[in-house]
Amino acid sequence: MEIKVNASKDYSVIIKDSLCELKSYAKQVIKGDKIAIITDKRVEKLYLKQVEEVFSDSKVYTYSVNGGEESKSITCYYEILEFLAENGFKRNDTIIALGGGVIGDLAGFTASTYMRGINLIMIPTTLLAMVDSSVGGKTAINLKSGKNLAGSFYQPSLVYICTEFLKTLPDREVLSGMGEIVKYSFIGSGLTLDEIKQGVNGSLIYKCVDIKRQIVENDERESGERKLLNLGHTVGHAIEKVENYT
Ligand code: GLY
């Protein structure tokens, strides 16, 4: 399945049950010969090797952070920028965000600012990242004063969703993604709670991404309609902040 997003940059969201077609889609958007995979320690153990193999004919560098919201920090952001510079990354090289929402935000913000913006591919590994954060171009890191206070709108050149990754997702993460899916049934049309009750599959993910696509295309920089996508997020951000992102 494929959804084309027509935003400030046009790109495809591909939904597959394996990584088999990642290479052919990525080839269409990769220009340089270097790729930096930004991931976290958990995803690294589970899936890094498979993704590296897909790109075995490029120069692949990997930067792995600790999982969790603490990694959306100025320190991690700065260290990744230095890592890219030390390894000679140029503007036509590529960052791949391999992970959940934290990795997408961190790698996306880094991609948007390194040399004023380098190519970005999202490979989301959590349900939440598949149905929400990997699509639409919001990137951010946290400040002591609050969540996502330094960020950018920066669209990826490709989002590749591999539903196989959901098999290793902890229940808590499935619930977290389900919260987003229920959100879409409230704010968009064509997705009923009965469909959601049937469980997660590619076509459910497709419907969510398509609802998000419509909203992002209408209001990419959130001056109005896009605020609908924050349903439940705003109170969640407040809770995260008072709990110090634990
Ligand atoms: N995650 C909310 C948005 O993309 O606007």
Side-chain angles (χ1 to χ4, degrees):
M1 285 178 274
E2 175 168 1
I3 295 174
K4 288 197 190 297
V5 182
N6 298 116
S8 51
K9 185 195 280 174
D10 294 350
Y11 56 97
S12 293
V13 180
I14 308 296
I15 304 168
K16 298 280 171 191
D17 56 11
S18 77
L19 287 176
C20 291
E21 290 172 65
L22 173 59
K23 189 170 183 171
S24 66
Y25 284 104
K27 256 173 127 176
Q28 296 167 31
V29 298
I30 287 178
K31 291 175 199 88
D33 62 347
K34 288 184 183 168
I35 294 173
I37 301 176
I38 315 292
T39 190
D40 69 38
K41 305 268 188 253
R42 182 172 186 275
V43 176
E44 178 185 2
K45 274 197 209 107
L46 291 166
Y47 299 118
L48 178 64
K49 210 160 165 256
Q50 284 177 52
V51 176
E52 280 178 342
E53 273 164 15
V54 169
F55 297 104
S56 55
D57 48 9
S58 300
K59 290 180 198 145
V60 178
Y61 301 75
T62 299
Y63 194 98
S64 184
V65 301
N66 291 325
E69 197 66 29
E70 290 83 1
S71 293
K72 271 176 61 173
S73 65
I74 289 275
T75 310
C76 283
Y77 164 64
Y78 175 75
E79 283 171 358
I80 298 170
L81 289 174
E82 286 290 3
F83 175 79
L84 296 171
E86 279 162 13
N87 288 295
F89 272 70
K90 302 275 184 305
R91 195 179 289 137
N92 67 349
D93 292 320
T94 296
I95 287 184
I96 294 181
L98 175 67
V102 165
I103 293 298
D105 267 3
L106 176 66
F109 185 53
T110 308
S112 75
T113 50
Y114 183 73
M115 297 191 89
R116 301 192 180 87
I118 74 170
N119 193 30
L120 172 67
I121 295 178
M122 294 284 198
I123 307 182
T125 58
T126 64
L127 184 57
L128 181 145
M130 290 175 188
V131 297
D132 183 29
S133 58
S134 66
V135 179
K138 273 193 186 174
T139 81
I141 56 172
N142 302 327
L143 302 184
K144 269 202 208 104
S145 303
K147 186 165 162 128
N148 294 340
L149 288 186
S152 58
F153 288 97
Y154 190 70
Q155 302 296 338
S157 51
L158 173 69
V159 180
Y160 190 95
I161 296 173
C162 170
T163 54
E164 175 78 16
F165 291 160
L166 295 172
K167 291 192 176 149
T168 52
L169 204 59
D171 288 349
R172 187 183 155 87
E173 280 295 332
V174 176
L175 278 178
S176 171
M178 274 298 187
E180 295 298 333
I181 292 172
V182 170
K183 174 189 85 177
Y184 286 115
S185 75
F186 293 159
I187 66 173
S189 57
L191 178 61
T192 63
L193 289 174
D194 281 338
E195 273 176 284
I196 296 173
K197 282 184 200 155
Q198 285 160 31
V200 179
N201 54 38
S203 66
L204 184 62
I205 293 171
Y206 179 97
K207 283 198 170 181
C208 294
V209 172
D210 201 44
I211 293 171
K212 181 154 190 182
R213 174 197 62 75
Q214 290 167 42
I215 294 174
V216 168
E217 286 180 352
N218 289 339
D219 178 25
E220 183 174 346
R221 295 181 73 88
E222 199 176 286
S223 51
E225 184 181 346
R226 187 164 181 169
K227 289 181 186 154
L228 286 170
L229 292 169
N230 297 338
L231 178 63
H233 289 204
T234 314
V235 68
H237 291 180
I239 293 168
E240 282 180 289
K241 180 172 184 299
V242 294
E243 297 291 335
N244 214 14
Y245 302 115
T246 54

